[in-house]
Amino acid sequence: MDHFKIVQRALETTWRYRALWLFGVLLALTSRSGGNGGGGGGNVTMPGPESGFPAFGALSGVVILIIVGVIVLLVLAFATISIVLRYFSENALIKMVDERERTGTEVGIGGGFRMAWSRSAFHFFLIDLVIFLPTIALFILGLLLGASPLLLWITRRQALGIAGTIIAIGLILLVVLVFIGIFIVVSLLRHFFQRVAALEDGGVFQAIREGFGLVRRHVVDVILMGLIMFGLGIAFTLLTIPVMIALAILGLLAGGAPALLFGGLASLVFEGAVPWIVGAVVGLPLFFLVFGVPAIFLGGLYETFKSTTWTLTYRELRAMELSADEETAPEAELEASTV
């Protein structure tokens, strides 16, 4: 298998097939989603139960519970939407690239959404549950077993306790290293499980079984492609670091100046946290526009390239096996006829 030819083909497909970009961006957003929290307070004192208003305390408690409930519901809704979009995007990328390779047809964004809306996307979710939940459970169990020598402190003998601590640290480090390797292998296998589910319309366990068999039969080619993608990932990160720094500086300049201006004007009228809130409301959208949008777009391009590379790899391995079967078929027929 010509690994570098596949990478070159994936780069060309990523650049020319622009309908893929939207699904790559959605995948980048949902695969690396995260958030930062913060809080602030002012110097305003509100009356509470201790100030002679017991009903206010009960009311404020109900309000807090309602706010917490709303936040929990919003978080759950966001997580559900992210999960759905992630698996739909992965499904669309795989099927759109396969369609282009099979027929030469480049479907649009609407066609991509129609391809994404299939049961294979749900199978992706189930595959992740099947392969990652046991792995995480075993990792937690391994950490607990690795930490078990700490129980020697129960003996109240300092020498045994210190020895147990040293052993526990070594065992925990060993468990972490082993499971890092396991997670890498599982993540590598996952590419092939998904493509069997999406392109062969396989069920969950069929996808796992056939995907594992394909990797086992071509383990050297898969490892080499994994190493190439690992190196390209490092190169992409190093190349984008200066770009991210430049975008961050531009974002601070674009959002910081208006934030200071409007925050300063608000401080002439309001006190406490209000000027800071006004500055954030004005500055953060501008910062996101200058920094966040290009960063997400670059991440989406890389996700598109990565998915395309593994789809082309899967197709190439299948083609190699089909070619081998066609070559051995006449020989088998000849042997059968001579018998």
Side-chain angles (χ1 to χ4, degrees):
M1 187 172 74
D2 192 337
H3 299 78
F4 292 102
K5 184 178 180 180
I6 290 176
V7 171
Q8 183 180 3
R9 176 69 171 168
L11 285 171
E12 177 189 355
T13 301
T14 300
W15 181 250
R16 294 181 179 275
Y17 198 175
R18 298 180 182 179
L20 297 172
W21 293 1
L22 174 62
F23 299 100
V25 168
L26 290 175
L27 185 56
L29 279 171
T30 55
S31 297
R32 303 174 183 179
S33 60
N36 295 317
N43 296 321
V44 180
T45 302
M46 297 296 292
E50 68 283 354
S51 60
F53 296 97
F56 182 85
L59 181 61
S60 62
V62 173
V63 172
I64 291 173
L65 287 177
I66 293 174
I67 293 174
V68 171
V70 170
I71 292 174
V72 170
L73 290 176
L74 288 175
V75 170
L76 290 176
F78 175 77
T80 302
I81 293 172
S82 296
I83 291 171
V84 171
L85 287 178
R86 174 188 175 185
Y87 291 119
F88 274 21
S89 299
E90 288 179 324
N91 197 26
L93 287 171
I94 292 170
K95 290 190 172 184
M96 290 170 72
V97 171
D98 179 70
E99 181 72 15
R100 184 178 191 263
E101 293 297 313
R102 283 192 304 108
T103 66
T105 302
E106 295 185 357
V107 301
I109 293 175
F113 275 110
R114 286 191 291 272
M115 288 182 173
W117 188 264
S118 64
R119 63 180 180 178
S120 54
F122 181 61
H123 288 165
F124 288 0
F125 171 71
L126 295 179
I127 287 170
D128 281 352
L129 288 182
V130 170
I131 63 177
F132 284 115
L133 281 184
T135 305
I136 293 172
L138 288 174
F139 176 61
I140 294 173
L141 179 62
L143 290 178
L144 293 175
L145 292 175
S148 60
L150 293 174
L151 295 174
L152 290 174
W153 284 102
I154 298 176
T155 63
R156 297 184 179 181
R157 295 184 180 181
Q158 187 175 9
L160 289 176
I162 293 173
T165 302
I166 295 173
I167 294 172
I169 292 173
L171 289 176
I172 289 173
L173 288 176
L174 179 62
V175 169
V176 170
L177 290 175
V178 168
F179 273 88
I180 287 175
I182 291 175
F183 275 106
I184 290 173
V185 172
V186 170
S187 298
L188 192 63
L189 290 169
R190 178 178 180 269
H191 295 300
F192 297 90
F193 298 163
Q194 287 186 329
R195 279 148 185 84
V196 173
L199 305 181
E200 312 294 336
D201 200 23
V204 174
F205 294 101
Q206 177 189 350
I208 293 174
R209 182 176 62 254
E210 293 187 10
F212 181 80
L214 183 65
V215 172
R216 180 176 53 82
R217 293 189 296 271
H218 303 277
V219 63
V220 175
D221 286 323
V222 173
I223 291 175
L224 286 176
M225 183 57 74
L227 292 174
I228 290 172
M229 292 303 294
F230 177 74
L232 290 175
I234 294 176
F236 176 80
T237 301
L238 293 177
L239 289 173
T240 53
I241 286 176
V243 178
M244 293 298 104
I245 293 174
L247 289 174
I249 294 173
L250 291 175
L252 289 173
L253 293 175
L260 290 175
L261 175 61
F262 282 90
L265 292 176
S267 66
L268 299 177
V269 182
F270 302 100
E271 295 182 356
V274 174
W276 293 96
I277 295 174
V278 171
V281 169
V282 173
L284 287 179
L286 293 173
F287 177 80
F288 176 76
L289 185 65
V290 175
F291 173 77
V293 172
I296 293 171
F297 178 71
L298 288 175
L301 285 181
Y302 182 72
E303 290 293 338
T304 302
F305 163 72
K306 186 168 65 173
S307 176
T308 302
T309 301
W310 286 113
T311 300
L312 295 178
T313 300
Y314 174 83
R315 287 180 52 82
E316 182 66 19
L317 294 179
R318 283 295 199 195
M320 289 168 57
E321 292 193 339
L322 181 61
S323 176
D325 291 340
E326 291 176 351
E327 290 177 359
T328 56
E331 298 177 2
E333 293 177 359
L334 181 61
E335 291 179 2
S337 61
T338 55
V339 175

